[in-house]
């Protein structure tokens, strides 16, 4: 989604301002505020993904991957988790 078309967070619908920045979910591509996109995961596996760091995701994508048992390892608060039981509040 192009930045200039998005005026509100896709999840909570708060308007974007100079202080409330836009963040893209790296999986679905939608635009969210920092609170609604405070979920991170490591892409793929192996040595190369460790060098790439983490990807910002929205809550819906984070939970979707968690439920399928994929390696969702970093949350917005910095704690680790790999199952749906450890999803963010």
């Amino acid at each position: 989604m192009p930045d200039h078309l998005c005026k509100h967070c896709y999840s909570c619908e708060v308007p974007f301002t100079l202080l409330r920045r836009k963040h893209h979910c790296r999986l679905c591509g939608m635009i969210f505020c920092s609170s609604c996109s405070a979920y991170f995961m490591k892409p793929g596996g192996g040595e190369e993904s460790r060098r790439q760091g983490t990807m910002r995701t929205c809550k819906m994508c984070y939970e979707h991957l968690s439920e399928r048992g994929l390696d969702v390892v970093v949350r917005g608060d910095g704690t680790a988790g790999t199952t749906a039981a450890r999803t963010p509040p």
Side-chain angles (χ1 to χ4, degrees), residues 38-42 53-57 62 66 71-82 86 88:
Y39 305 86
F40 297 86
M41 63 168 287
K42 287 189 178 181
T54 58
M55 296 188 314
R56 179 181 290 269
T57 64
Y62 180 94
S66 294
D71 274 342
V72 179
V73 294
V74 182
R75 300 188 329 195
D77 61 5
T79 60
T82 57
R86 303 253 344 218

Side-chain angles (χ1 to χ4, degrees), residues 1-73:
M1 171 178 279
D3 282 355
H4 70 278
L5 295 178
C6 187
K7 306 294 182 202
H8 297 86
C9 174
Y10 185 75
S11 181
C12 69
E13 299 184 2
V14 298
F16 293 115
T17 65
L18 284 175
L19 299 177
R20 187 176 296 121
R21 297 183 58 207
K22 300 174 184 179
H23 299 277
H24 289 264
C25 172
R26 298 299 183 224
L27 297 175
C28 68
M30 299 306 293
I31 300 176
F32 299 90
C33 66
S34 61
S35 297
C36 293
S37 63
Y39 305 86
F40 297 86
M41 63 168 287
K42 287 189 178 181
E47 182 63 32
E48 187 167 323
S49 70
R50 282 192 282 274
R51 281 185 259 136
Q52 293 176 358
T54 58
M55 296 188 314
R56 179 181 290 269
T57 64
C58 64
K59 183 178 181 180
M60 185 171 58
C61 289
Y62 180 94
E63 290 176 346
H64 179 77
L65 293 174
S66 294
E67 289 170 0
R68 278 147 185 77
L70 299 177
D71 274 342
V72 179
V73 294

